[in-house]
Amino acid sequence: MFNTSFYSLHCFSVLARLLNYTKAAEVLNVTQPALSKMIRTLEKELGFDLFIRNTRSVKLTEAGQFFLEKAVGIINDMDQIVYDTDKIARGQEGILKIGFLPYTYSEMMPKIVVKYHTMYSYVNLTLLDGDEYLIEPKLKRGELDIALVSDWGTSFSDEYVKKIIYEDDYCAVVSVDSELAQYDAISFEMLKNQNFIVLMPEKGENMSNYIATNRVIQTCIMNGIFPNIINKCQANSLLGLSIMAGSGEGVAILASHMEKFVMDDYNVKFIPIVDMNLKFHAVACYKKNNLNSCIQPFLEVIDSLC
């Protein structure tokens, strides 16, 4: 059986190019006797001579010339295979599927994508924007590699890595006609008698479970505020909460970065809550067992921009 190693082919090609054992041994960093033994072993395995040898010169046989042409092709193919595989191993080539919250990452995503594609042009990026109800199930099913979400609306288990990208303060969002609108900052105590507008619970989730798992509501309760949640004023989006707050029906609690997306005719004011110890965290989540080597370089790009 033919058992020639790739290294033997490489040594043969160097000797065939230089036609000098001494020079070839120097290039290969081996002794001349070792190289001579390797070539003899190769010829024995092949069953034919590759070189014509005499005391003064080394020449390729006709079979050796043909074998060289084929061997060089194999060596070049192997070099390309190793090069391409190395790029994949380093996360420089492949496919990366990312889900993200449009409002939370609207300013960052263009910068991230531009820098990442500049550094890793052979990676194909797939972007999906939507809310947690869309992104989280897709990540769990393996349809996404990374989810750029918030720690407010996600429920990832220990099977996932969660990396904080940035943090933000929460604000009370009130109508400009509200009595609270006269203040530039408020305390929890000032929200005590206010109606609260919240996101609609996920389909099939009852309100009591929603309240128990909602970190903002629980923070209010821990500060002695038991929110009066008005069922007639719910919304299924963050901008919807702002619109409902602008109608004067109640107060919404949103991260301060949402103010950038609120238009003047929403008639709302974002007011910092000075004694609220809860922070909004934008996070990157991915499965621990996801072997996609493009994930870490992508996270490094995010780190460089934060």
Side-chain angles (χ1 to χ4, degrees):
M1 181 177 290
F2 182 59
N3 294 316
T4 298
S5 68
F6 179 74
Y7 180 66
S8 296
L9 292 181
H10 175 61
C11 292
F12 160 73
S13 68
V14 172
L15 179 59
R17 175 167 53 87
L18 297 175
L19 295 176
N20 185 293
Y21 272 94
T22 301
K23 292 181 180 179
E26 290 176 357
V27 170
L28 295 167
N29 196 28
V30 298
T31 64
Q32 185 173 329
L35 176 60
S36 179
K37 181 179 179 180
M38 189 180 302
I39 297 299
R40 288 291 188 189
T41 300
L42 175 59
E43 290 176 322
K44 184 176 181 180
E45 289 179 350
L46 294 172
F48 51 80
D49 290 338
L50 297 169
F51 296 97
I52 301 171
R53 304 168 180 82
N54 58 44
T55 56
R56 293 186 178 181
S57 63
V58 179
K59 294 181 181 180
L60 283 167
T61 63
E62 183 178 357
Q65 184 61 49
F66 177 81
F67 189 74
L68 174 63
E69 294 172 4
K70 300 300 180 182
V72 168
I74 292 172
I75 291 169
N76 290 339
D77 287 345
M78 181 59 72
D79 287 344
Q80 188 64 47
I81 290 170
V82 171
Y83 176 76
D84 291 341
T85 305
D86 181 66
K87 287 200 296 185
I88 292 173
R90 294 175 181 271
Q92 298 174 350
E93 187 170 298
I95 299 173
L96 188 62
K97 294 169 287 186
I98 303 161
F100 68 98
L101 302 179
Y103 298 126
T104 303
Y105 296 92
S106 63
E107 291 186 339
M108 293 183 65
M109 282 307 294
K111 299 174 184 177
I112 293 170
V113 171
V114 168
K115 183 167 184 177
Y116 184 78
H117 258 314
T118 299
M119 298 176 64
Y120 304 100
S121 59
Y122 291 100
V123 176
N124 294 325
L125 283 181
T126 300
L127 301 179
L128 171 71
D129 65 278
D131 59 24
E132 281 98 342
Y133 297 149
L134 173 67
I135 294 173
E136 185 173 342
K138 287 185 175 292
L139 182 68
K140 290 181 176 179
R141 291 194 300 265
E143 297 172 20
L144 294 172
D145 294 303
I146 304 179
L148 302 180
V149 288
S150 73
D151 62 350
W152 176 81
T154 52
S155 56
F156 296 116
S157 67
D158 292 339
E159 297 176 13
Y160 295 82
V161 177
K162 184 185 292 185
K163 176 182 174 63
I164 295 176
I165 297 176
Y166 73 88
E167 69 176 25
D168 196 6
D169 294 319
Y170 280 103
C171 293
V173 184
V174 303
S175 166
V176 293
D177 297 320
S178 166
E179 61 179 13
L180 293 176
Q182 63 182 300
Y183 301 103
D184 293 325
I186 60 175
S187 65
F188 263 118
E189 183 66 24
M190 299 170 72
L191 295 173
K192 196 166 188 175
N193 298 316
Q194 299 293 321
N195 293 328
F196 279 72
I197 306 167
V198 300
L199 287 173
M200 295 169 56
E202 189 175 1
K203 186 176 181 181
E205 183 179 21
N206 61 48
M207 181 58 76
S208 60
N209 182 66
Y210 176 78
I211 291 174
T213 57
N214 186 297
R215 296 174 66 232
V216 173
I217 295 175
Q218 288 302 308
T219 299
C220 291
I221 293 173
M222 286 188 292
N223 282 271
I225 305 297
F226 296 87
N228 178 32
I229 298 173
I230 44 178
N231 292 327
K232 69 174 183 177
C233 291
Q234 296 179 9
N236 68 344
S237 72
L238 299 180
L239 284 182
L241 287 180
S242 299
I243 293 172
M244 296 301 295
S247 71
E249 293 288 348
V251 176
I253 306 294
L254 293 174
S256 65
H257 67 262
M258 285 299 301
E259 187 172 8
K260 298 191 292 287
F261 306 100
V262 173
M263 293 182 283
D264 292 339
D265 55 5
Y266 281 27
N267 297 315
V268 296
K269 181 177 181 179
F270 279 65
I271 309 174
I273 306 171
V274 294
D275 53 352
M276 187 169 189
N277 55 13
L278 179 67
K279 295 286 187 180
F280 171 94
H281 290 124
V283 296
C285 295
Y286 59 95
K287 286 185 177 180
K288 290 180 179 178
N289 62 0
N290 190 327
L291 300 180
N292 191 333
S293 56
C294 299
I295 292 176
Q296 290 306 318
F298 184 78
L299 295 175
E300 290 170 6
V301 168
I302 294 177
D303 285 341
S304 70
L305 294 172
C306 292

